[in-house]
């Protein structure tokens, strides 16, 4: 008997069976590597989202630990994600930080229920055109949000609206800081050009090969951030830093705190809650699928993953954290670093905690232009820009959905984009399925005078009933019987059955007989449930066209 609800069983429990020293060392190395990579990204995502940098770090620690410990993936890393930047910034701008934390916790409850009710597989039904459209749109908005810090512009608060942002940036462009721009561009160049991998040469290794091998194991983001921070501190460069804007990062654990909650206020957060939950579900399951394709481990459990995401997003706001989900960049880093089990993700969270407790004062001198340069690289990598070039290979429906979702994400917001994208996808799907249904006359048989045979092909549903309704008008004068060959009719819904009943009534008034031949099980079962077979009579539903013609004769 199938369970109605999904059992709560983290993948970690299965991974610990037969766990040995070799796997632990692999997880240790991967976890420390991902922890180092996650540090600048967590701070950058938080600052770009309009909150303090430590909120991003605390999210990476707490949510990262919970998602790895409770999730349904072997190697997925959770934490603050670039996809949430635009959403979080807009919610903070409109509702305030306290309401963001409430919406995040409510989204956590919604995510948990989605997994518990086995709705994880439904996320996969979102068309890839919508996913690419909003992903590219978010990438554009992330890049635009970093222009202020990259150019060193003195803007107290950047508006959330796309066109207003452009107008504000253009108005303050005279305040461009060449030094901040130089730092940001140098950091961007380092991240882009820094070696990402190393291939062992055939000949004996040279000192240069050794250097490239070592460099490939050091994340470019850390090199760029460390170099920019060191130069800013040593040369006392007059650029805006984390210390000058936020006063630094606390060298302590986050404190548990309750946010004032009221149902009246929660009702206003319905859309933000759904947006966070929907985006978190899509991003985490897409990330888990990427990890599945890169490893030979057992496929992830989407429902368990959603429940873990729910727990993480419910708990994290009580410590000042922001929304979290699966992160593709850190998950890919984790896989490439040799992670074997979710222990690697737990180590990554503990490594971040250790860095905060030991090295938090160093963040005072991190230039915001350096983080902007790093985020520009993240935004570029996040977008699937080649899909715009490949649009000419796809049908008009795909183009409209993808480009429409992209523009709506940029101009309005993600919720509107996904809603409209799904409506368009449904409309185009219905239209396409309707065009596939066909009613074609059979002309290769010797038919009695006044008898016509039509073959039904496809699905007779509400989007295709017009072709059945038009059939009486296509019959020539003197028609006395019509045979519908239904072997290739694979599906019929209630609207299709209603159209068939109307056709029968029309034929009755015109004195034309109707015989159904070779009816498949699903349409026949529907006819029997509503009693249409009894109205037609047993002699009107036959196993073959030959039997139908005999019946007509």
């Amino acid at each position: 008997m199938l369970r109605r609800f999904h059992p709560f069983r983290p993948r970690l429990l299965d991974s610990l069976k037969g766990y040995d020293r070799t796997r632990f060392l692999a997880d240790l190395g991967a976890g420390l590597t991902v922890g180092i990579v996650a540090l600048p990204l967590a701070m950058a995502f938080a600052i770009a989202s309009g909150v303090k940098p430590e909120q991003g770090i605390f999210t990476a620690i707490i949510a990262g630990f919970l998602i790895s410990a409770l999730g349904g993936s072997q190697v997925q890393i959770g934490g603050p994600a670039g996809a949430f930047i635009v959403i979080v910034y807009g919610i903070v701008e409109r509702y305030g930080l306290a309401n963001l934390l409430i919406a995040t916790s409510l989204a956590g409850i919604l995510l948990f229920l989605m997994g518990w009710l086995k709705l994880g597989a439904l996320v996969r039904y979102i068309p890839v055109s919508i996913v690419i459209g909003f992903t590219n749109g978010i990438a554009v908005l992330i890049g635009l949000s970093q222009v202020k810090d990259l150019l060193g512009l003195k803007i107290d608060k950047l508006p959330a609206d796309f066109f207003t942002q452009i107008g504000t940036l253009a108005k303050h462009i005279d305040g461009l800081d060449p030094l901040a721009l130089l730092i940001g561009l140098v950091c961007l160049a380092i991240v882009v050009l820094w070696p990402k991998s190393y291939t062992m040469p055939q000949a004996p290794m040279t000192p240069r090969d050794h250097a490239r091998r070592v460099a490939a194991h050091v994340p470019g983001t850390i090199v760029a951030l460390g170099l920019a921070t060191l130069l800013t501190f040593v040369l006392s460069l007059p650029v805006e830093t984390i210390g000058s804007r936020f006063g630094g990062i606390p060298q302590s654990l986050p404190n548990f705190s309750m946010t004032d909650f009221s149902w009246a206020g929660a009702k206003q957060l319905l859309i933000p809650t759904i947006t966070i939950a929907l985006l978190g579900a899509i991003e985490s399951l897409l990330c888990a699928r990427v990890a599945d394709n890169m490893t030979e481990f057992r496929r992830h459990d989407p429902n368990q993953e959603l429940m873990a995401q729910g727990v993480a997003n419910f708990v994290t706001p009580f410590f000042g954290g922001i929304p979290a989900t699966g992160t593709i960049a850190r998950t890919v880093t984790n896989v490439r670093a040799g992670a074997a089990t979710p222990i690697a993700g737990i180590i990554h969270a503990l490594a971040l905690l250790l860095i905060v407790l030991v090295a938090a004062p160093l963040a005072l001198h991190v230039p915001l232009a350096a983080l902007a340069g790093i985020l520009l690289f993240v935004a570029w990598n996040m977008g699937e820009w080649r899909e715009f070039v490949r649009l000419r290979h796809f049908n008009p429906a795909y183009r409209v959905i993808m480009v429409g979702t992209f523009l709506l994400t940029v101009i309005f917001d993600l919720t509107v984009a996904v809603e409209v994208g799904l409506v368009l996808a449904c409309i185009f799907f219905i239209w396409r399925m309707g065009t596939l249904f066909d009613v074609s006359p059979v002309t290769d048989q010797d038919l009695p005078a006044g008898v016509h045979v039509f073959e039904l092909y496809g699905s007779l549903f509400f989007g295709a009933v017009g072709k059945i309704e038009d059939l009486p008008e296509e019959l020539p004068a003197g028609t006395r019987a019509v045979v519908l060959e239904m072997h290739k009719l694979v599906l019929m819904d209630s609207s299709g059955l209603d159209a068939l009943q109307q056709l029968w009534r029309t034929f009755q008034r015109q004195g034309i007989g109707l015989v159904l031949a070779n009816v498949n099980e699903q349409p026949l079962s529907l006819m029997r449930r509503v009693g249409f077979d009894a109205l037609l009579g047993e002699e009107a539903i036959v196993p073959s066209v030959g039997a139908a013609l005999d019946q007509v004769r």
Side-chain angles (χ1 to χ4, degrees):
M1 180 178 178
L2 295 176
R3 297 176 182 232
R4 296 176 59 189
F5 305 111
H6 193 278
F8 189 86
R9 182 174 178 80
R11 182 60 58 84
L12 179 64
L13 298 178
D14 299 324
S15 301
L16 291 178
K17 296 177 181 178
Y19 196 73
D20 54 18
R21 181 174 178 273
T22 302
R23 284 210 260 178
F24 173 74
L25 291 177
D27 287 336
L28 179 63
L32 293 176
T33 301
V34 179
I36 294 172
V37 172
L39 178 63
L41 295 179
M43 291 191 296
F45 290 156
I47 293 171
S49 301
V51 299
K52 296 180 179 179
E54 62 264 27
Q55 291 181 267
I57 296 177
F58 292 158
T59 301
I61 294 172
I62 300 171
F65 180 91
L66 292 173
I67 290 172
S68 292
L70 305 177
S73 172
Q74 196 92 344
V75 291
Q76 176 150 275
I77 301 295
F84 273 122
I85 289 177
V86 180
I87 304 302
V88 173
Y89 190 91
I91 294 174
V92 172
E93 184 80 6
R94 183 173 180 181
Y95 299 98
L97 179 60
N99 284 323
L100 167 68
L101 302 182
I102 293 174
T104 304
S105 285
L106 293 175
I109 297 173
L110 186 57
L111 280 166
F112 187 90
L113 290 176
M114 288 171 63
W116 189 52
L117 296 174
K118 298 183 178 181
L119 299 181
L122 296 181
V123 177
R124 298 176 181 173
Y125 294 160
I126 297 178
V128 66
S129 53
I130 294 179
V131 174
I132 293 173
F134 80 66
T135 300
N136 287 356
I138 290 173
V140 169
L141 293 175
I142 292 173
L144 182 64
S145 70
Q146 297 311 298
V147 173
K148 176 177 79 77
D149 288 333
L150 181 71
L151 303 181
L153 303 181
K154 304 299 181 183
I155 302 175
D156 293 333
K157 193 72 174 178
L158 200 63
D161 178 72
F162 175 72
F163 293 109
T164 309
Q165 277 190 13
I166 294 177
T168 304
L169 292 171
K171 188 185 299 183
H172 292 81
I173 195 65
D174 294 339
L176 183 147
D177 184 349
L179 184 57
L181 178 60
L182 178 62
I183 292 174
L185 292 179
V186 169
C187 288
L188 176 60
I190 290 175
V191 176
V192 171
L193 300 176
W194 193 260
K196 308 294 189 298
S197 61
Y198 175 78
T199 303
M200 188 71 70
Q202 297 293 334
M205 291 182 62
T206 64
R208 184 177 180 181
D209 292 328
H210 282 290
R212 286 184 59 84
R213 184 179 182 183
V214 172
H217 286 82
V218 180
T221 52
I222 292 297
V223 175
L225 192 67
L227 182 61
T229 303
L230 180 63
L231 291 177
T232 302
F233 173 69
V234 173
L235 302 178
S236 299
L237 299 179
V239 293
E240 193 170 21
T241 64
I242 287 180
S244 63
R245 181 181 292 184
F246 301 102
I249 295 175
Q251 194 175 6
S252 61
L253 293 170
N255 295 318
F256 179 88
S257 62
M258 296 286 291
T259 303
D260 292 336
F261 178 84
S262 67
W263 282 112
K267 292 178 181 178
Q268 301 177 0
L269 300 175
L270 176 63
I271 297 300
T273 297
I274 294 175
T275 302
I276 292 173
L278 180 63
L279 183 57
I282 295 172
E283 283 291 309
S284 64
L285 297 186
L286 284 177
C287 178
R289 289 175 66 182
V290 169
D292 287 345
N293 294 333
M294 294 181 64
T295 66
E296 297 180 355
F297 301 130
R298 185 160 57 116
R299 285 178 56 84
H300 74 281
D301 180 344
N303 297 307
Q304 181 62 41
E305 189 62 33
L306 287 184
M307 287 194 283
Q309 300 284 341
V311 172
N313 280 282
F314 177 76
V315 171
T316 305
F318 291 106
F319 297 91
I322 57 178
T325 185
T327 57
I328 293 180
R330 276 159 275 175
T331 299
V332 170
T333 302
N334 191 40
V335 173
R336 290 177 176 170
T341 71
I343 294 293
I346 294 174
I347 293 174
H348 128 270
L350 297 178
L352 276 173
L353 177 60
L354 183 62
I355 292 172
V356 169
L357 296 178
V358 175
L362 298 178
L364 284 170
H365 307 288
V366 173
L368 297 180
L371 294 177
I374 292 171
L375 272 187
L376 283 175
F377 177 75
V378 171
W380 177 258
N381 268 359
M382 181 179 177
E384 298 186 45
W385 312 112
R386 293 180 181 176
E387 295 300 320
F388 286 118
V389 180
R390 296 178 59 219
L391 276 178
R392 65 181 184 274
H393 300 302
F394 295 97
N395 59 43
Y398 184 96
R399 299 174 196 169
V400 170
I401 294 171
M402 180 180 150
V403 176
T405 305
F406 170 75
L407 293 176
L408 288 170
T409 301
V410 172
I411 297 173
F412 294 98
D413 60 52
L414 176 67
T415 307
V416 173
V418 172
E419 289 172 352
V420 174
L422 285 174
V423 170
L424 287 175
C426 291
I427 291 173
F428 282 124
F429 177 77
I430 292 169
W431 171 80
R432 178 59 177 159
M433 292 300 294
T435 60
L436 292 177
F437 176 74
D438 188 46
V439 181
S440 57
V442 176
T443 59
D444 59 351
Q445 295 191 28
D446 185 18
L447 303 177
V451 177
H452 299 276
V453 178
F454 294 90
E455 183 180 58
L456 305 189
Y457 175 87
S459 299
L460 179 55
F461 71 114
F462 63 90
V465 295
K467 295 181 180 180
I468 288 291
E469 294 170 346
D470 295 339
L471 189 57
E473 300 175 5
E474 300 175 4
L475 297 176
T479 299
R480 62 187 183 86
V482 171
V483 178
L484 298 182
E485 207 288 324
M486 303 177 68
H487 175 62
K488 295 181 180 179
L489 183 71
V490 295
L491 177 69
M492 182 169 65
D493 70 355
S494 56
S495 297
L497 178 61
D498 182 70
L500 202 59
Q501 291 174 322
Q502 293 295 337
L503 180 69
W504 172 70
R505 295 189 184 99
T506 300
F507 283 172
Q508 274 197 321
R509 290 193 298 270
Q510 296 176 354
I512 299 174
L514 176 64
V515 181
L516 308 182
N518 207 357
V519 185
N520 281 319
E521 180 60 33
Q522 190 275 333
L524 184 59
S525 174
L526 182 60
M527 294 178 195
R528 288 169 175 166
R529 288 199 302 272
V530 300
F532 184 53
D533 61 328
L535 288 175
L536 284 174
E538 294 182 2
E539 67 282 356
I541 300 178
V542 295
S544 66
V545 173
L549 295 179
D550 291 339
Q551 183 68 33
V552 170
R553 292 189 184 98

